Amino acid sequence: MLNFTLEERIYPNKEIPELLNKTSYKVNKGTINVLNGTNLKFIKPAEYIIRKPIKLTIYEYQVNEINNKNYYIKEHNKKYSLKEIKSILNQLTK
């Protein structure tokens, strides 16, 4: 049986729900789990699920040194920075 140990929780950014106040959305926290006996890490990102006015799923990963674009929009299949996400969400709420 596979046993996992919780290494870290990924909390959502506090700025994004403020931009989503005119939409119907749900926010889920993320986790980083380690498989016991190995060095394998399983990352479940924090996610923002927007239902109205359009269906959109945004995943938030931790920033690393290589890439500063830590947001991924599933429907666009593309990575974004926080500044780009803010401009997309501002267009949604207008």
Side-chain angles (χ1 to χ4, degrees), residues 9-84:
R9 293 192 190 278
I10 302 172
Y11 293 99
N13 189 333
K14 295 182 193 247
E15 295 177 33
I16 294 189
E18 293 172 3
L19 297 171
L20 296 173
N21 59 2
K22 295 180 183 176
T23 63
S24 172
Y25 71 96
K26 180 180 177 184
V27 178
N28 295 328
K29 296 176 187 171
T31 59
I32 298 176
N33 294 320
V34 177
L35 182 60
N36 292 343
T38 67
N39 61 351
L40 296 175
K41 292 184 180 183
F42 295 88
I43 301 171
K44 180 184 173 208
E47 57 184 354
Y48 308 90
I49 303 168
I50 303 167
R51 296 185 186 108
K52 290 182 183 177
I54 63 170
K55 186 172 172 147
L56 200 65
T57 306
I58 302 172
Y59 296 115
E60 179 182 0
Y61 293 92
Q62 290 183 331
V63 178
N64 59 23
E65 301 82 31
I66 299 169
N67 191 355
N68 65 350
K69 295 186 175 185
N70 57 333
Y71 294 93
Y72 177 79
I73 296 181
K74 179 180 171 183
E75 288 76 13
H76 296 175
N77 198 18
K78 191 174 174 186
K79 294 179 183 179
Y80 296 95
S81 66
L82 180 59
K83 183 178 177 182
E84 294 168 330

Side-chain angles (χ1 to χ4, degrees), residues 19-23 53 88-94:
L19 297 171
L20 296 173
N21 59 2
K22 295 180 183 176
T23 63
I88 290 170
L89 294 177
N90 281 332
Q91 291 173 2
L92 273 179
T93 56
K94 285 185 179 181

